Amino acid sequence: MTIGYPMIRFVLFALILTFFAYPAVSGSPVSAQKTCPLDGEKFEIVETVSCSTMGRTMSFKPVTSCDFVTRLPVCPTTGLPLYKEFSEEELERLRPFVETEDYRTIRNLPPWQRAYRIAEYLQHTGSKRGFQILLMAFWHEHKSFLNNSDLAGKFVEEAEGEMDRDDQGKPFIAAILTYAFAASGEPEQADAWYARATSLTDALGTQNGNVDFLRSYLKRLGECRDMMTSAECLPDAGFRP
């Protein structure tokens, strides 16, 4: 099975809890064709037949052997991000929407942030999908995302909801939000989330094998909070325990 567009459907923190237990498998790019569901326009995307995670960055974004894949296909003419396979009912709502002034405004946003606004319109937010879209925006569009105060606030709301749904993912989500607040220059919020992430990590005890990894990440994150502009603390800087 190829990996690319369907990656948005993954169970995020199940992968986080196991990613460093496996050897790296190098992926090879595979071209595939997508069809825009609104107008039938065809365009090329890049997928792969194999992929593995080899580490994390300081924003906790996975470093993979297939970073070249098209994670979010975007229709060239309409600018619609295909973050899911839309139902016929959803497409009926989207067809008039993409002709509106509201959509023209949304289209100026980077793709993942645009996808979230469309998800809001279709009432897909306040869910695992909403959290995953904003997490991808944070990881792949971090500069503009952190400057968008409204979406940054939505990120916290979606993260809180995801923590309610996913007990095992709680410390990881709290650690990611610690980094997000530190990177956006909000030290008080960063400190509060750091304390929360540390407490949640301690509460894991020996329930899984990733506690040591997460503690190492939090230690590095604690060191970075007062020097976020240094090269080793930037969002895409590599992290190894």
Side-chain angles (χ1 to χ4, degrees):
M1 183 178 74
T2 54
I3 300 170
Y5 162 53
M7 287 178 73
I8 188 61
R9 301 172 190 160
F10 67 156
V11 180
L12 174 69
F13 291 102
L15 291 180
I16 285 177
L17 293 171
T18 58
F19 79 89
F20 55 89
Y22 298 96
V25 177
S26 178
S28 299
V30 177
S31 294
Q33 191 174 78
K34 291 294 295 181
T35 301
C36 183
L38 290 180
D39 57 10
E41 182 178 20
K42 299 184 185 302
F43 60 101
E44 294 292 314
I45 63 171
V46 178
E47 297 182 338
T48 186
V49 295
S50 63
C51 189
S52 64
T53 304
M54 302 177 292
R56 295 273 157 175
T57 68
M58 282 306 300
S59 68
F60 220 70
K61 179 178 71 175
V63 178
T64 75
S65 62
C66 61
D67 282 348
F68 50 78
V69 297
T70 305
R71 290 182 173 84
L72 180 63
V74 177
C75 296
T77 299
T78 63
L80 179 69
L82 303 181
Y83 65 88
K84 72 180 296 286
E85 294 180 3
F86 298 108
S87 68
E88 281 303 317
E89 180 182 356
E90 289 165 344
L91 291 173
E92 286 301 309
R93 295 184 63 195
L94 285 170
R95 286 189 180 94
F97 180 63
V98 298
E99 303 297 330
T100 65
E101 190 62 36
D102 285 345
Y103 182 74
R104 282 188 280 275
T105 300
I106 289 171
R107 188 165 178 175
N108 291 326
L109 293 169
W112 284 109
Q113 295 169 63
R114 189 187 320 158
Y116 186 78
R117 290 306 191 194
I118 293 168
E120 279 188 314
Y121 173 73
L122 293 174
Q123 299 180 314
H124 293 158
T125 55
S127 64
K128 181 176 288 292
R129 188 186 302 279
F131 171 68
Q132 289 175 346
I133 291 173
L134 287 185
L135 180 61
M136 297 296 272
F138 171 58
W139 278 344
H140 299 288
E141 302 164 355
H142 53 81
K143 289 183 179 178
S144 61
F145 178 72
L146 292 176
N147 287 327
N148 188 325
S149 59
D150 182 59
L151 283 182
K154 296 285 187 183
F155 187 34
V156 176
E157 293 177 14
E158 295 283 3
E160 291 277 15
E162 185 64 11
M163 290 173 76
D164 289 340
R165 290 184 292 269
D166 183 359
D167 282 342
Q168 282 193 309
K170 284 180 178 180
F172 297 95
I173 299 171
I176 290 168
L177 285 178
T178 300
Y179 186 91
F181 278 116
S184 61
E186 299 182 66
E188 291 184 3
Q189 290 276 26
D191 289 349
W193 278 100
Y194 183 79
R196 192 169 174 183
T198 301
S199 175
L200 287 166
T201 301
D202 290 342
L204 284 178
T206 58
Q207 292 176 32
N208 64 70
N210 298 308
V211 175
D212 289 342
F213 179 88
L214 188 51
R215 283 181 177 147
S216 295
Y217 175 75
L218 288 172
K219 182 176 184 294
R220 175 74 65 81
L221 187 50
E223 296 166 351
C224 279
R225 280 182 297 166
D226 295 326
M227 44 185 255
M228 292 298 292
T229 58
S230 62
E232 63 269 30
C233 299
L234 294 175
D236 290 329
F239 168 73
R240 300 294 293 182

